[in-house]
Amino acid sequence: MIGELYERALGNAQDYAIPTSSELGFTGKPHSPLYLDDRSGVQIEDASGTRRPLPVKDWLRLRPGDEGLLSRSAGPVLDVGSGPGRLTVTLTERGVLALGIDIAPTAVAMTVAAGGPALVGDVFAQVPGAGLWRTILLADGNIGIGGDPAMLLRRLAQLLAPNGRILAEVNAPGVPSRREQVRLRSGETVGPWFPWAQVAADDLPQCGLTTSEHWEEANRCFVALTP
Ligand SMILES: C[S@@+](CC[C@H](N)C(=O)[O-])C[C@H]1O[C@@H](n2cnc3c(N)ncnc32)[C@H](O)[C@@H]1O
């Protein structure tokens, strides 16, 4: 996720413009031409050597399951690890105040070019509006950022408004949670190892947060966490 290979994968993907919500009919259901092969050639590799494609194309356009996240997002929304910004851009188009934050400059540039406010930054460093965010999004497995979900959730709790909630995409109940080192690979070129994590809906760390809602959509699993 982190480093030059991620920037390169995003750069390659820029051939495909992010369509507006109106092009998507506000349904969150992509038209068939929007289903694209992953041509970035960049893979995620774990310590055992197992590799899977980095699904950059999934992050360029609204995908099945996004609508539930979007419809639950009361502004102001902080989209943590916003990538190329499909959620931030769509919320903005819908009149919901939203800000993407991502450590990858190319991702942020793509978001801004598509009309979404975003800044380059680390969620563990200084973030504007601390204590004011009504919704914080952790989409696409971003509960794994930093490799320590408890640390991430404690950090997000500091950023959340008292009546706010975190909407996080997680693994289905029963799927083993894991914390691991991963890296990106393209052929023989590898990036640095970085920590990542996966968490199941029924294995969320206790961080003073309560799971107030759990829903599934399009084979994706989500929770809402409240202080
Ligand atoms: C799985 S991708 C998420 C894609 C994104 N949700 C989207 O809608 O396109 C994870 C993203 O988290 C970002 N990221 C990783 N660590 C971060 C950190 N500490 N602070 C902010 N963003 C981070 C990566 O740069 C990457 O864009």
Side-chain angles (χ1 to χ4, degrees):
M1 210 67 55
I2 298 155
E4 197 185 319
L5 280 177
Y6 180 51
E7 305 279 341
R8 192 194 300 176
L10 288 170
N12 292 343
Q14 284 192 78
D15 295 342
Y16 306 96
I18 297 178
T20 63
S21 295
S22 53
E23 285 174 307
L24 294 170
F26 281 97
T27 63
K29 292 179 185 164
H31 304 306
S32 55
L34 300 181
Y35 289 104
L36 296 165
D37 297 333
D38 191 321
R39 292 173 215 172
S40 73
V42 176
Q43 299 171 303
I44 310 173
E45 181 176 48
D46 68 20
S48 74
T50 304
R51 302 173 197 173
R52 60 191 163 87
L54 183 71
V56 174
K57 297 290 184 293
D58 282 351
W59 306 333
L60 293 180
R61 302 175 166 79
L62 290 187
R63 50 188 285 236
D66 282 348
E67 189 52 40
L69 273 182
L70 293 165
S71 63
R72 286 171 174 81
S73 293
V77 178
L78 182 66
D79 182 8
V80 171
S82 47
R86 72 186 194 281
L87 300 173
T88 297
V89 171
T90 303
L91 287 168
T92 303
E93 289 174 348
R94 294 183 183 188
V96 178
L97 190 62
L99 176 70
I101 179 170
D102 201 291
I103 50 170
T106 303
V108 169
M110 290 170 76
T111 304
V112 171
L119 56 83
V120 177
D122 180 346
V123 70
F124 294 106
Q126 198 170 4
V127 174
L132 298 175
W133 298 101
R134 185 121 174 263
T135 306
I136 297 182
L137 296 179
L138 286 176
D140 310 312
N142 281 359
I143 187 104
I145 286 176
D148 183 342
M151 179 178 70
L152 178 62
L153 290 176
R154 279 195 296 270
R155 169 62 181 143
L156 298 187
Q158 295 171 341
L159 302 177
L160 209 56
N163 63 344
R165 55 185 193 161
I166 298 166
L167 305 181
E169 184 167 3
V170 292
N171 284 340
V175 174
S177 298
R178 45 200 261 197
R179 292 170 58 178
E180 58 188 347
Q181 294 288 321
V182 297
R183 65 182 176 182
L184 299 187
R185 171 184 284 277
S186 178
E188 293 308 306
T189 306
V190 291
W193 292 101
F194 61 92
W196 199 253
Q198 296 188 39
V199 185
D202 56 352
D203 192 27
L204 282 159
Q206 303 294 312
C207 303
L209 297 165
T210 303
T211 302
S212 53
E213 192 184 355
H214 169 213
W215 76 98
E216 292 181 23
E217 186 177 351
N219 291 321
R220 296 169 66 191
C221 190
F222 304 89
V223 290
L225 305 171
T226 48

